[in-house]
Amino acid sequence: MGLRIDIVTIFPEYFESPLGVSLIGKAVARGDIEFRVHDLRRWATDVHRTVDDVPFGGGPGMVMKPDVWGDALDEVIGPDAAGARLVVPTPSGVPFSQDMAAAYAAESRLIFACGRYEGIDGRVVEEMRTRMPVDEVSIGDYVLAGGEVAVLVLVEAVGRLLPGVLGNAYSAGDDSFGGDGGPAGSMRGLLEGPVYTRPRAWREREVPEVLLSGNHAAIARWRRDMALRRTAAYRTDLAARLRSLDAHDRRVLAESGYNAEGSNES
Ligand code: JB8
């Protein structure tokens, strides 16, 4: 029971506050997650605690040494790699998704390897793949200075899906939410539209009347329309993948400037 997460990094202090507060901090306090953060330099062998070296083949920057990473992962993994998955954030990885977050939340042991500089010597992932599942994952098409922030993103996405986490609609058995804790049913595959709370009027702006109507079918229709409009405007890639659109849906998308060829007027 529970998820054990090891993190190997040259900046262990980076993780102190984020893992101690909010949803993740409470999951730790309850024993639903256990974190062990390891300083990679512990496995450096020279007096300077060196973890990087010049790249073979030339080019800018430095590459993290395979011997240091190998020794670190050997010890962190321990004698039994069974049931453990190694996750290596990199901009060259497979795009992280809500489905992967749900799969990770069902695991018993995750090991995160935080690279810096130009990344970790490629033989480390090769070698570790002979022993356990290894995922090289990207959190988006931009480049960070290292894997630490990406690991925090992954941990938060996974942590909020763990059974027992407050506000986890999935564990609460709410049928109107998918296993990903996000929109499901009539909203699956769509970006959610805007949400509102009190006061009903703020700076001359009224909350949309339909939300006060008590007409649940009309509210659901309005929310779907807003979701379709936002998806058409922001995410033509998602709009192109939508299935089971009726005539009304298609009209809302078209009025939002979306056309099925994937371009977006307006
Ligand atoms: C060095 O953008 B990223 C990312 C960037 C990195 C490393 C790992 C991840 C290591 N730069 O997610």
Side-chain angles (χ1 to χ4, degrees):
M1 287 299 306
L3 176 58
R4 171 166 166 192
I5 295 180
D6 289 280
I7 300 171
V8 186
T9 171
I10 61 169
F11 296 121
E13 67 276 21
Y14 209 103
F15 295 89
E16 284 167 19
S17 297
L19 301 183
V21 301
S22 188
L23 180 146
I24 300 292
K26 284 172 189 159
V28 170
R30 274 199 316 275
D32 291 332
I33 322 184
E34 179 192 359
F35 288 101
R36 297 190 196 176
V37 181
H38 312 271
D39 184 352
L40 178 69
R41 291 193 196 278
R42 214 180 107 203
W43 289 276
T45 53
D46 66 327
V47 288
H48 298 110
R49 315 259 88 189
T50 304
V51 297
D52 62 334
D53 203 343
V54 294
F56 277 121
M62 300 289 274
V63 173
M64 297 190 100
K65 290 163 59 60
D67 48 352
V68 176
W69 267 108
D71 289 351
L73 292 174
D74 285 350
E75 186 171 336
V76 168
I77 293 159
D80 185 14
R85 175 181 299 275
L86 177 64
V87 179
V88 185
T90 164
S92 314
V94 53
F96 188 65
S97 66
Q98 194 63 30
D99 286 348
M100 290 169 71
Y104 288 179
E107 303 253 17
S108 58
R109 184 151 190 229
L110 297 172
I111 298 158
F112 290 100
C114 299
R116 280 267 149 182
Y117 316 106
E118 301 307 309
I120 303 169
D121 185 297
R123 292 168 292 184
V124 174
V125 160
E126 262 180 53
E127 159 83 3
M128 295 300 151
R129 273 204 223 280
T130 68
R131 288 199 258 157
M132 74 186 99
V134 179
D135 293 347
E136 294 181 284
V137 304
S138 165
I139 63 160
D141 290 338
Y142 41 79
V143 182
L144 305 173
E148 283 78 8
V149 166
V151 164
L152 288 175
V153 168
L154 302 175
V155 162
E156 184 155 313
V158 172
R160 65 182 284 280
L161 300 181
L162 292 175
V165 167
L166 203 68
N168 178 351
Y170 180 63
S171 69
D174 186 336
D175 271 354
S176 69
F177 289 84
D180 59 7
S186 71
M187 302 284 277
R188 185 156 281 155
L190 295 172
L191 302 183
E192 283 203 87
V195 295
Y196 302 89
T197 186
R198 293 178 290 186
R200 279 178 59 165
W202 174 77
R203 299 190 182 179
E204 319 257 277
R205 294 170 188 279
E206 298 281 342
V207 167
E209 195 71 37
V210 64
L211 299 180
L212 313 173
S213 69
N215 181 340
H216 300 296
I219 291 169
R221 180 68 257 175
W222 182 86
R223 285 185 171 149
R224 182 167 172 85
D225 289 355
M226 297 302 280
L228 286 162
R229 285 162 59 171
R230 186 173 287 210
T231 305
Y234 291 171
R235 295 291 301 273
T236 53
D237 59 322
L238 294 182
R241 281 174 182 77
L242 291 173
R243 296 295 172 257
S244 59
L245 298 171
D246 63 17
H248 178 107
D249 293 336
R250 287 177 206 289
R251 180 159 42 78
V252 173
L253 284 175
E255 285 169 0
S256 308
Y258 176 79
N259 63 52
E261 282 67 56
S263 68
N264 200 325
E265 302 287 306
S266 95

